[in-house]
C-alpha cells in the first residue's frame, strides 16, 4: 500500500486486528494517492485522526494549495476514523464529501484533524478541520462513510505486509 509510516494507534485496536492475523501497523499507509501527495498520518483512533500534507507539490496554477488536495487529506483522515470505528468486520466507503475552502496557502505544511460527528452501525460522519502552520483554518470538511461488512474478496485484497 505504500511506504510504511509510524502511526500512533490505540493498543486495543492493534490487538483487535492482530487477533485476526492482520498486522495493522505494517499494513497501514495513507494509500497510494496519499503517499504521492505526501500525506503523513500522525495519530489514528476512532475518536481522532491527525495528519499532515505539504503544500509544495499540491498546488493549483496560481501557486495556492489545490482544493482537491485538501479534499484528499480530508477524505483520507475521515476514512481512517470511520474504518477504526467500524472495526475489523467492516469496511468504510466514502459516500459524501463536502469541503469549504476558507483561505489560500502557498507554502509549508497543512494539518488535518478529523473528529466524529456521528458513529453508527451503518454510517460514520467525521468533521475534518485543516489548518496552516499559523493554526489558521484553511478548510472545513465533512465526510460520511458507509460501513459495510467485510467479504472474503475484501480479505483477499490485503497486501502481504499486513498479513501476520
Amino acid at each position: 500500500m505504500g511506504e510504511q509510516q509510524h502511526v500512533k494507534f490505540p493498543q486495543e485496536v492493534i490487538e483487535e486486528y492482530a487477533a485476526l492475523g492482520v498486522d495493522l501497523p505494517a499494513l497501514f499507509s495513507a494509500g497510494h494517492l496519499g503517499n504521492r501527495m505526501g500525506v503523513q498520518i500522525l495519530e489514528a483512533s476512532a475518536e481522532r485522526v491527525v495528519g499532515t500534507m505539504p503544500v509544495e507539490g499540491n498546488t493549483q496554477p496560481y501557486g495556492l494549495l489545490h482544493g482537491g488536495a485538501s479534499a484528499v487529506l480530508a477524505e483520507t483522515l475521515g476514512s481512517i476514523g470511520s474504518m477504526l470505528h467500524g472495526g475489523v468486520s467492516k469496511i468504510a466507503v466514502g459516500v459524501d464529501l463536502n469541503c469549504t475552502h476558507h483561505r489560500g496557502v502557498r507554502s509549508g505544511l497543512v494539518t488535518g484533524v478529523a473528529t466524529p460527528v456521528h458513529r453508527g452501525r451503518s454510517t460514520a460522519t467525521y468533521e475534518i478541520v485543516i489548518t496552516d502552520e499559523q493554526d489558521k483554518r484553511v478548510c472545513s470538511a465533512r465526510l460520511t462513510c458507509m460501513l459495510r461488512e467485510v467479504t472474503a474478496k475484501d480479505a483477499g485484497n490485503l497486501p502481504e505486509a499486513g498479513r501476520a
Side-chain angles (χ1 to χ4, degrees):
M1 258 182 110
E3 63 185 66
Q4 188 176 338
Q5 303 172 32
H6 177 70
V7 181
K8 180 181 168 191
F9 288 105
Q11 187 59 39
E12 63 272 12
V13 172
I14 292 172
E15 291 170 5
E16 180 183 12
Y17 280 83
L20 294 174
V22 177
D23 182 351
L24 186 61
L27 167 68
F28 193 79
S29 79
H32 296 294
L33 177 60
N35 286 339
R36 274 197 308 272
M37 296 182 73
V39 173
Q40 295 288 313
I41 307 303
L42 307 176
E43 176 185 332
S45 72
E47 291 77 31
R48 177 178 155 95
V49 183
V50 180
T52 62
M53 181 180 67
V55 173
E56 184 178 339
N58 294 315
T59 58
Q60 38 89 311
Y62 298 115
L64 298 170
L65 178 64
H66 195 291
S70 293
V72 168
L73 178 59
E75 184 150 359
T76 300
L77 300 178
S79 293
I80 291 167
S82 296
M83 175 200 78
L84 292 171
H85 163 66
V88 296
S89 66
K90 302 272 181 126
I91 289 185
V93 180
V95 295
D96 183 63
L97 176 65
N98 174 289
C99 297
T100 300
H101 307 288
H102 304 292
R103 66 181 335 108
V105 181
R106 292 188 181 278
S107 63
L109 279 178
V110 291
T111 300
V113 178
T115 54
V117 174
H118 166 77
R119 291 187 295 168
R121 288 182 303 215
S122 60
T123 62
T125 300
Y126 280 75
E127 175 186 43
I128 304 94
V129 175
I130 300 173
T131 57
D132 64 14
E133 291 179 317
Q134 287 71 47
D135 206 30
K136 293 182 179 175
R137 190 178 291 226
V138 172
C139 177
S140 298
R142 187 190 68 246
L143 174 72
T144 298
C145 288
M146 175 180 64
L147 303 174
R148 68 171 181 79
E149 295 294 324
V150 173
T151 65
K153 181 180 174 185
D154 298 321
N157 289 327
L158 275 181
E160 288 302 316
R163 298 175 204 265

